[in-house]
Structure formats: structure tokens, C-alpha cells
Amino acid sequence: MRIDIITVLPELLKSPFEASILKRSIEKGIVAVHMHNLRDYTTLSYNQIDDYQFGGGAGMVMMIEPIDKCIAKLKSERTYDEIIYMTPDGETLNQKIANSMSLLNNIIILCGHYKGVDQRVRDAYITREISIGDYVLSGGELGAAVLCDSIIRLIPGVLSNETSALTDTFQDNLLAPPVYTRPADYKGMKVPEILLSGNFPKIEKWREDKAQERTEKLRPDLLK
């Protein structure tokens, strides 16, 4: 998979891809992530990529021309499955979306900033708009990093144990059950006996029941 991220703050995005699972996936050649500084695509003085909004109002708006130039250059080099705009008013990212997007080959992610982008960008170029929650950040960079992490970890070969991703919270519309590790008894706090029994069918049933209980208590909306 190749991911191209268009941003005004590429330095903000570097760190998440230089550690842990994301770093290893890039080093293995499973995924390629490229950042594109939008300011490289403007001809205006001071590398300007934003301007006042027509009709007045507070906040600057990202202009269409540099975004058009950047997307056009990328599309001239390869075909993209999705061009995604990170925005608070997009569809909320969930596991189903991450699962489907992990099957794609090439995607562009446009990070919003300031008051957002000229609406013509959204009308003409964007194929999908995604939010990571009902709140506003300073820009789309952190949201893009979250989206990338949720996608990349699902690609075969990224995780050392691929079944781990299949048993994550939300994969089956249930929260994950409680998990424990050594020691079995810590200051009187004991691991449930069933998990020490070696009876794997019963252990699996216990986990299913606990997942159901947690979901009913904490996220009943997932069961609807």
C-alpha cells in the first residue's frame, strides 16, 4: 500500500511513522508513506496557501490551486483508490472503515487546516471525508496519523501475530474481554481460574460471555 499525505505541517506527521509497528511496516516494504508539503505547490509570496473567505467571517481558508496542483501531480504518477479529506464533519472512523481501507492499494489523505478547504476541493477531488471524532483539532495531521495506524496494522505481514488484529475490540461489534498475564496472584488479586484451566473451549466461551457483558454495559449501541 502507498499512502500520500498532503499537509502544511509535514514535521508534525513524521514522528508516528518513525517508531513501533508503523516504522517496521515501512522498513519491511509493506507500506510506503509519503508526506507532501502543500507550500511547495504555491506560487504566491511567503508560500501562502490560505486566504480570507468570501462573504467575510473569522478564519482563513485553504486555497484550491495548490491542492489541485499537488493532487494532479500525484494522479499523473499512479491511480488512487481514494482521496480522503480529514474533517470533523466527515463520517466517523470505525473498525469497518479501517478494515475496508486496509484492502486498498493507493490513497491520498488531505489534512485540513485553519477554517478548512475551499468547498470546490471537496466537490471536485475528494472521494471520502473522514473524522476521528466529534471534536475539532488544530489540523488534520493527527487525524491522518490515527487513520493510517488503524489501516496499516491490518495489512497482512505488519503484525507478528495476524490473528491479534482479528480479535481486537470492535471487530465483531463487541468490546474485547478482560486480559491477564503473570503473575496469576498479585497481592491477592487473582486471575480467573478458568484462564488457568487449559480448557480452551471453555476459555473461549468465557471470553465471549465477558465481551458480551462489557459491551452491554459500556457500549450497548454496538449491539443495535
Side-chain angles (χ1 to χ4, degrees), residues 113-129:
H113 214 67
Y114 311 113
K115 199 66 177 177
V117 301
D118 188 306
Q119 181 63 38
R120 290 170 291 184
V121 171
R122 302 172 77 164
D123 295 339
Y125 309 116
I126 301 303
T127 63
R128 192 163 198 173
E129 301 185 348

Side-chain angles (χ1 to χ4, degrees), residues 5-214:
I5 305 175
I6 303 173
T7 171
V8 296
L9 293 171
E11 63 276 11
L12 183 61
L13 271 168
K14 291 179 180 178
S15 178
F17 298 97
E18 294 177 344
S20 190
I21 292 171
L22 298 187
K23 178 183 179 182
R24 292 198 299 271
S25 68
I26 293 171
E27 291 176 341
K28 288 180 179 179
I30 298 173
V31 63
V33 180
H34 300 271
M35 282 76 160
H36 305 273
N37 191 334
L38 192 58
R39 297 188 188 281
D40 294 337
Y41 293 87
T42 181
T43 56
L44 300 180
S45 57
Y46 305 107
N47 294 325
Q48 181 183 352
I49 50 84
D50 63 305
D51 208 339
Y52 296 102
Q53 55 183 307
F54 284 124
M60 305 293 279
V61 177
M62 295 171 67
M63 295 185 292
I64 187 172
E65 185 176 9
I67 296 173
D68 172 39
K69 287 181 177 179
C70 185
I71 291 177
K73 179 178 184 299
L74 292 173
K75 290 179 70 175
S76 71
E77 298 169 348
R78 67 194 59 81
T79 300
Y80 286 91
D81 302 299
E82 294 276 17
I83 301 178
I84 300 159
Y85 175 49
M86 302 304 302
T87 173
D89 55 0
E91 60 180 321
T92 304
L93 177 63
N94 57 33
Q95 195 61 46
K96 183 178 180 181
I97 293 173
N99 288 344
S100 64
M101 292 189 65
S102 71
L103 303 176
L104 304 180
N105 293 316
N106 302 313
I107 63 175
I108 294 173
I109 302 176
L110 171 62
C111 300
H113 214 67
Y114 311 113
K115 199 66 177 177
V117 301
D118 188 306
Q119 181 63 38
R120 290 170 291 184
V121 171
R122 302 172 77 164
D123 295 339
Y125 309 116
I126 301 303
T127 63
R128 192 163 198 173
E129 301 185 348
I130 293 181
S131 166
I132 62 167
D134 295 339
Y135 47 87
V136 178
L137 300 173
S138 299
E141 285 76 16
L142 297 180
V146 169
L147 176 61
C148 289
D149 191 299
S150 72
I151 295 171
I152 292 172
R153 65 188 306 278
L154 297 172
I155 300 174
V158 171
L159 297 181
S160 56
N161 184 347
E162 292 181 11
T163 58
S164 176
L166 299 179
T167 57
D168 284 339
T169 288
F170 303 125
Q171 280 291 11
D172 51 6
N173 279 347
L174 294 175
L175 300 183
V179 293
Y180 301 85
T181 189
R182 293 181 291 180
D185 185 337
Y186 183 72
K187 296 182 178 179
M189 296 180 284
K190 297 181 179 181
V191 172
E193 288 294 330
I194 184 65
L195 299 179
L196 308 176
S197 68
N199 189 325
F200 295 108
K202 286 188 176 182
I203 290 173
E204 189 61 29
K205 180 62 168 58
W206 179 89
R207 286 173 171 162
E208 291 173 0
D209 290 344
K210 289 298 181 182
Q212 185 76 21
E213 289 175 13
R214 293 189 72 193

